[in-house]
């Protein structure tokens, strides 16, 4: 007797756009691997998943001995030249990105990114983004990250008093944004700047909710975390700098509130790499990315090394570094991320690529490898980079997992990513919107 599964039609007349036969499926929902599965894709969507493999399609891929998983999300991306960066992101299997503002992010730049992301013939991930930064003059990132042209109303909003917020939120709400980006942070290293006052954060959350928009806050320590919790911020775009003590009741109260309010939290451990690479390039030497690392070494200069020294000094104090490895630097963060994931917080992968020595596409894999090295399971890491990320992007009804009815964003791997997360680099094919994407080396 023939059993048809989820719409699988045993009709030789039906020709799908793409069929991947007999593959090992990791669907992104966190459930374990399904063997010898056939997936049919039609008109951008996954239309059938089942054991029936005798299907017609314009393109058929034999998935035997291969592994299929959802396309990855990098939920913290900056880009200076998106045409080049998009190609690298797709090359490494990142089919969706989240851009939480940045020095290039004018309305025109955002519109150009969105336009490119909406087609499937030139490699480009789906683009989700926030408004421009809401911050204040003389604060982060305007003062702390010099060297960029920042113009109020174009790539940044400098708030002077809370009465402006109503009008500004109304203004940015006309654009297809996920929400408002607000910077609470006092800067990455001494000399720190003043933080935006609590009432500005509170008001921004209230105004955003009138337009069904969420707030995406940039925080870098426990004080700023507490401010975000108090204001009811729905998304935190960095983990780095926060320090959670599971035995501290105040911390547990914050975390419980975050869980109850369904807050999403992006990892971005690679931001520390961006600071540390100039001091310890030997910590990061990497066969798989040799050309990029060579380029990175050429970028090293005394200015960058000095800037890194200042930041590393501050971090060293904070982390009490004993062993000279990158892992020892971020280990304590990985422990926290692991704890929060197990606690039920919607933890999401992001690399903060676009910062120095933090490579588009590849550095998300570095982020995943660090989490695995620190004790997290590949299946959980994958969920953070797929379904959890889609949830944060308010698109888990159509993205983030390989299920019937969802859009076909997928990566086919030669090796099993559940054995080692490094195997996410063994990419055979990248599919976005049901279309096989051109990779950089092809
Ligand atoms: Zn960033």
């Amino acid at each position: 007797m023939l059993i048809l599964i989820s719409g699988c039609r045993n009709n030789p007349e039906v020709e799908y756009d793409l069929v991947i036969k007999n593959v090992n499926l990791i669907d992104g929902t966190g459930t374990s691997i399904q063997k010898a599965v056939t997936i049919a894709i039609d008109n951008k969507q996954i239309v059938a998943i089942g054991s029936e493999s005798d299907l017609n399609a314009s393109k058929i891929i034999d998935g035997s001995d291969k592994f299929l998983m959802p396309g990855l999300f990098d939920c913290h991306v900056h880009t200076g030249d998106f045409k080049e960066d998009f190609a690298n992101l797709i090359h490494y299997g990142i089919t969706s990105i989240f851009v939480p503002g940045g020095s290039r992010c004018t309305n025109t730049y955002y519109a150009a990114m969105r336009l490119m992301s909406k087609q499937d013939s030139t490699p480009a991930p789906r683009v989700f983004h926030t408004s421009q930064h809401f911050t204040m003059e003389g604060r982060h990132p305007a003062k702390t990250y010099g060297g960029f042209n920042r113009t109020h109303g174009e790539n940044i909003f400098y708030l002077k008093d809370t009465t402006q917020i109503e009008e500004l939120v109304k203004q940015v709400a006309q654009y297809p944004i996920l929400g408002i980006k607000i910077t609470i942070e006092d800067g990455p290293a001494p000399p720190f700047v003043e933080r935006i006052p609590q009432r500005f954060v509170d008001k921004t959350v209230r105004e955003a909710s009138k337009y069904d928009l969420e707030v995406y806050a940039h925080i870098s320590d426990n004080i700023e975390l507490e401010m975000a919790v108090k204001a009811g911020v729905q998304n935190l775009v960095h983990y780095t700098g926060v320090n959670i003590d599971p035995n501290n009741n105040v911390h547990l109260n914050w975390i419980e509130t975050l869980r109850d309010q369904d807050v999403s939290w992006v990892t971005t451990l690679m931001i520390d790499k961006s600071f540390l690479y100039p001091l310890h390039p030997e910590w990061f030497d990497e066969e798989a990315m040799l050309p990029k690392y060579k380029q990175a070494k050429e970028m090293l200069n005394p200015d960058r090394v000095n800037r890194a020294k200042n930041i590393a000094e501050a971090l060293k104090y904070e982390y009490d570094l004993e062993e000279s490895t990158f892992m020892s630097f971020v280990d304590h963060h990985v422990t926290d991320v692991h704890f929060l994931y197990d606690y039920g917080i919607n933890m999401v992968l992001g690399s903060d690529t676009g910062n120095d020595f933090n490579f588009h596409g590849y550095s998300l894999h570095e982020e995943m490898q660090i989490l695995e090295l620190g004790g997290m399971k590949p299946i959980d890491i994958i969920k953070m980079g797929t379904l959890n990320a889609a949830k944060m992007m308010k698109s888990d009804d159509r993205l983030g997992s390989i299920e019937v009815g969802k859009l076909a964003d997928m990566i086919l791997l030669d090796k099993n990513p559940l054995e080692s997360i490094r195997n996410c680099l063994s990419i055979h094919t990248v599919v976005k919107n049901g279309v096989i994407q051109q990779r950089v080396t092809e």
Side-chain angles (χ1 to χ4, degrees), residues 294-324:
K294 273 192 189 135
Q295 204 184 321
K297 286 199 169 108
E298 282 159 19
M299 281 163 68
L300 284 177
N301 60 48
D303 278 356
R304 281 196 153 104
V305 174
N306 278 334
R307 192 164 82 99
K309 268 186 186 151
N310 290 339
I311 295 167
E313 273 311 307
L315 292 174
K316 203 180 250 176
Y317 171 72
E318 190 181 321
Y319 288 64
D320 198 14
L321 184 66
E322 279 169 11
E323 192 193 327
S324 199

Side-chain angles (χ1 to χ4, degrees), residues 76 78 100 181 218 238 352 355:
H76 197 131
H78 302 288
K181 168 72 183 283
H218 188 121
H238 280 295
D352 212 348
N355 280 290

Side-chain angles (χ1 to χ4, degrees), residues 121-152:
S121 44
T122 306
R126 297 176 194 277
V127 173
F128 299 91
H129 64 84
T130 60
S131 69
Q132 290 84 355
H133 278 257
F134 278 37
T135 180
M136 298 172 96
E137 208 134 13
R139 314 277 169 107
H140 185 69
K143 190 173 179 192
T144 42
Y145 285 169
F148 297 107
N149 266 339
R150 290 191 174 86
T151 310
H152 173 76

